[in-house]
Amino acid sequence: QQQVKQSPQSLIVQKGGISIINCAYENTAFDYFPWYQQFPGKGPALLIAIRPDVSEKKEGRFTISFNKSAKQFSLHIMDSQPGDSATYFCAASESGGTSYGKLTFGQGTILTVHP
Amino acid sequence: KAGVTQTPRYLIKTRGQQVTLSCSPISGHRSVSWYQQTPGQGLQFLFEYFSETQRNKGNFPGRFSGRQFSNSRSEMNVSTLELGDSALYLCASSLDPGQAPEAFFGQGTRLTVV
């Protein structure tokens, strides 16, 4: 019940295209859903995050769509650029209970944007 | 504002040895969490410290331990190293996961056990 399932494992898009990465979760106590971007040799960097009280959040070219009833959320990268080529992780956490500080991560998606 | 600093960046240790990794959180952040990242298992939660107290622990053997100091800096220790402990160890800091869950990661310590 603690899993977060992420798909696809890898994604190749052309420059200017839209990249879409999907995640699904089981634990209904999760109430915070961040996305992280990781470049080789670096730690994950917080990209954008959403709470379940909104269905969509947009920051620049990055948008999170959230479907509470389906227990799914997705990251959309508009106008994808070669510099976006990285590994993307979705994650989830719950603020209550005893799950202090624990982020449950998806398995990651390797995004390659061709010029 | 300085980010999360982890030292050392790289370590090579022999099986059976022990190792200590260090993490300095963002100034003002009181929570530090540790994660292990491997190609096979992905990012897995080790433990979380807040105000010098361990509040949460993941499913790792007792060889993995940690502590937090009064200035919020944290260390993690792995004793009796095994080959399977080779991984990127990441720490993340946040103000307080319950109130402000945004977690910021350091660059990690790459541990290789030979």
Side-chain angles (χ1 to χ4, degrees):
Chain A
Q1 196 177 22
Q2 290 294 319
Q3 280 187 320
V4 175
K5 295 182 180 179
Q6 182 172 347
S7 63
Q9 281 189 302
S10 62
L11 180 61
I12 299 174
V13 301
Q14 293 297 123
K15 179 182 175 182
I18 302 173
S19 304
I20 302 174
I21 305 170
N22 301 298
C23 285
Y25 64 97
E26 291 293 326
N27 185 354
T28 54
F30 285 149
D31 58 4
Y32 174 70
F33 302 88
W35 284 89
Y36 284 86
Q37 178 190 57
Q38 186 176 29
F39 293 104
K42 304 289 187 182
L46 180 61
L47 201 54
I48 186 173
I50 198 167
R51 296 268 201 184
D53 53 346
V54 297
S55 60
E56 186 174 282
K57 183 175 181 179
K58 183 177 180 179
E59 288 184 3
R61 296 185 294 110
F62 300 91
T63 300
I64 300 180
S65 296
F66 186 82
N67 186 329
K68 188 174 181 178
S69 60
K71 291 185 284 186
Q72 295 175 348
F73 58 110
S74 60
L75 176 69
H76 296 232
I77 306 174
M78 312 300 286
D79 187 26
S80 298
Q81 299 296 313
D84 296 330
S85 297
T87 302
Y88 291 80
F89 293 94
C90 63
S93 69
E94 56 179 289
S95 55
T98 57
S99 296
Y100 301 104
K102 180 180 178 181
L103 285 164
T104 300
F105 284 88
Q107 285 298 101
T109 296
I110 300 172
L111 171 65
T112 303
V113 181
H114 285 158
Chain B
K1 206 173 192 181
V4 179
T5 304
Q6 290 189 246
T7 56
R9 289 292 312 280
Y10 304 94
L11 269 176
I12 300 176
K13 290 286 187 179
T14 304
R15 270 182 304 173
Q17 287 187 314
Q18 76 164 13
V19 66
T20 299
L21 313 181
S22 180
C23 173
S24 293
I26 292 170
S27 178
H29 284 194
R30 297 167 65 189
S31 170
V32 174
S33 298
W34 288 88
Y35 292 82
Q36 181 195 65
Q37 185 175 25
T38 59
Q41 298 298 315
L43 282 146
Q44 293 194 295
F45 173 79
L46 281 155
F47 28 65
E48 188 260 4
Y49 286 86
F50 182 86
S51 293
E52 303 178 66
T53 300
Q54 185 185 90
R55 298 193 299 183
N56 197 5
K57 191 176 190 308
N59 295 325
F60 279 83
R63 300 185 297 107
F64 292 82
S65 63
R67 59 178 176 168
Q68 187 180 35
F69 302 95
S70 58
N71 62 357
S72 294
R73 190 178 70 85
S74 177
E75 289 181 347
M76 70 162 280
N77 183 277
V78 188
S79 62
T80 320
L81 283 165
E82 300 176 0
L83 294 178
D85 296 333
S86 295
L88 180 66
Y89 289 88
L90 294 157
C91 86
S93 81
S94 62
L95 280 167
D96 179 347
Q99 306 299 321
E102 293 80 10
F104 301 91
F105 283 84
Q107 299 223 63
T109 294
R110 172 73 62 184
L111 172 65
T112 303
V113 182
V114 298

